Amino acid sequence: MVVSPQATRSLLIQLALCISMVLALVSCGGSPHSVAGPKGPGVSAEPNDPAETDVKAAPTGNGAVPDCTSVTSLPDSAPSGAAAIPAAATTTPEPLKIGTLLPLTGSLAHYGPPSTAGVNLSIKEIKDAGGVLGKPIEVIHRDSGDSKSDIGAQSTRELLKSGVSAVIGAVSSSVSKSVINQITGAGVIQLSPANSSADFSTWDDKGLYWRTAPSDVLTGSAWGDYIAACGAKTLGMIVLNDPYGSVLAENIKAAFEEAGGKVISEEQFNTGDSEFSSQVEKISAARPDAVALISFDQAKSIIPLMADKGISGSQLFMVDGNTSDYSRDFQPGTLKGAQGVLPESIADDDFRNRLLTIDPALTFFGYAGESYDAVNLIALAAESAKSTKSADVASQLKAVSEGGAKCNTYASCVTLLRENKDIDYDGQSGPVAFSDAGDPTEAHIAVYEYQDDNTAKPSKEILARMGARG
């Protein structure tokens, strides 16, 4: 999402602070789409610093079903442009060359078209603006496959052999873990538009690994705040006992209780379990206002058990591992009113229309914004460094994401850079503002709501913020 005009946003946020309801949600433009599917068990979570989100509010419920209708959104704005772009004072003999490692096959192949379109849209707009250091970007697309194949490693070898300065990808955290040493060990930048795994924040990557998607810690903290903002005073949790589930649970609980709520029942299960009656019985007996379900496909067994105990869809808050299409699994109405969270932005009308000029067949837009921002940030960092060398570009990625004049397109940002001004790129995925570890400290996180047919459609975005790590 692009950032709204600064004066308007500042005024709205100040007004919100005055009523102790700090909200900054960006509405979804256009016709909503159903979720194509969860990222899957390959994505794990990470311990991190506490996050802050603009959905903080003390719980106001009195044992009633949570009501999120009062959690409203801020207006959208179109991206700003630049009237005239100065010529690059420094030009490069060799164009900036990037490679993509995105899923064209495998279990996450539905993310391939939108993420590739996001990359190609950015490449086109950069070319239209005169390129990077006087030359258009060269891009090489390769398939990442998934964690069940060796396609990612093979594609990485091809990209490195071709001399790319940066690799955009992978979507899967498990695929990224299998190639990160290969990429960063070669002195090349890896910038993922989708990884949320724990381990990347502390990986020995020589300062070359970055991501535009929020970590599980940021997502979990924002989700805990959101549940409280919906009015829940008490929360029950059913949690997968693995690193992914444990870290999401830890951060949901911390944020919810910091907002004044109380977790009154927290039940765990293990990978491979097929019986969940005990956990559901204990949650039901505690009678919480809301229930957070942190799982993968186990949700298909757990949700009917909760429904039998009278836990309604409106009380249920799901995560990216289980926010999926259940239209063929449950009776109509089972999940109506349930909500799920995905660590990705929602494309607004303007951005969708621009993506459709690149790929008219697109019907799903997952991680398109994060992929678009990844290319823009690399291009702007190269302009700032006046170099296309990986180490030089990496040295400027944090700088172009924070602390300067706000801008939200390559054209407007590169104009400021060429006028010798510091910039702060705020993109489609959120304000970004990289930490020293390469994580976005500010991101838009999508909230989905389930319909009567048990499909989830986007309803709003949470703007979550985390203090940068030193």
Side-chain angles (χ1 to χ4, degrees), residues 324-404:
S324 189
D325 182 343
Y326 295 99
S327 57
R328 297 182 180 180
D329 301 299
F330 306 141
Q331 291 295 318
T334 300
L335 280 173
K336 184 173 177 60
Q339 297 184 78
V341 65
L342 293 178
E344 62 186 39
S345 58
I346 301 173
D348 63 12
D349 280 339
D350 174 76
F351 188 51
R352 287 190 189 198
N353 290 335
R354 287 153 62 201
L355 289 166
L356 289 169
T357 66
I358 301 298
D359 184 354
L362 283 180
T363 58
F364 173 63
F365 299 87
Y367 294 118
E370 289 78 4
S371 301
Y372 174 87
D373 289 346
V375 178
N376 277 347
L377 285 159
I378 288 170
L380 292 168
E383 277 279 343
S384 181
K386 296 181 171 55
S387 169
T388 60
K389 295 180 179 178
S390 291
D392 296 337
V393 175
S395 72
Q396 294 300 308
L397 276 169
K398 189 173 188 291
V400 299
S401 76
E402 64 174 10

Side-chain angles (χ1 to χ4, degrees), residues 22-25 49-57 71 214-230 247-248 250-256 258-259 317-319 341-343 441-447 461-466:
V22 184
L23 299 173
L25 304 174
D49 293 338
E52 294 183 356
T53 171
D54 282 352
V55 195
K56 281 194 177 295
V71 184
S215 73
D216 289 321
V217 168
L218 190 54
T219 300
S221 296
W223 205 219
D225 283 334
Y226 180 80
I227 297 169
C230 288
V247 174
L248 273 174
E250 175 187 343
N251 286 277
I252 290 172
K253 180 178 181 179
F256 183 75
E258 184 180 344
F317 293 83
M318 302 163 74
V319 294
V341 65
L342 293 178
T441 63
E442 300 181 79
H444 290 139
I445 299 174
V447 177
E461 287 181 334
I462 302 169
L463 176 58
R465 292 189 174 95
M466 179 182 293

Side-chain angles (χ1 to χ4, degrees), residues 83-220:
I85 302 171
T90 302
T91 58
T92 177
E94 296 295 332
L96 176 64
K97 183 184 291 187
I98 66 172
T100 69
L101 192 64
L102 300 170
L104 308 180
T105 61
S107 60
L108 297 179
H110 53 284
Y111 284 113
S115 54
T116 300
V119 168
N120 287 339
L121 176 61
S122 178
I123 296 290
K124 177 185 181 299
E125 292 180 354
I126 290 169
K127 180 181 178 181
D128 291 346
V132 175
L133 300 175
K135 286 187 171 60
I137 296 178
E138 291 185 8
V139 61
I140 303 170
H141 294 294
R142 289 293 182 269
D143 184 15
S144 67
D146 59 25
S147 59
K148 298 177 182 178
S149 72
D150 191 44
I151 293 173
Q154 295 175 30
S155 295
T156 298
R157 287 193 290 271
E158 293 174 11
L159 292 174
L160 294 177
K161 187 176 180 180
S162 71
V164 297
S165 295
V167 174
I168 306 297
V171 166
S172 162
S173 287
S174 57
V175 172
S176 283
K177 288 178 184 179
S178 72
V179 299
I180 183 172
N181 290 341
Q182 193 178 351
I183 296 171
T184 61
V188 172
I189 293 168
Q190 180 179 359
L191 203 164
S192 171
N195 292 164
S196 64
S197 173
D199 303 322
F200 296 115
S201 296
T202 55
W203 203 284
D204 184 13
D205 56 32
K206 303 175 178 61
L208 294 172
Y209 176 88
W210 306 75
R211 54 179 158 185
T212 47
S215 73
D216 289 321
V217 168
L218 190 54
T219 300

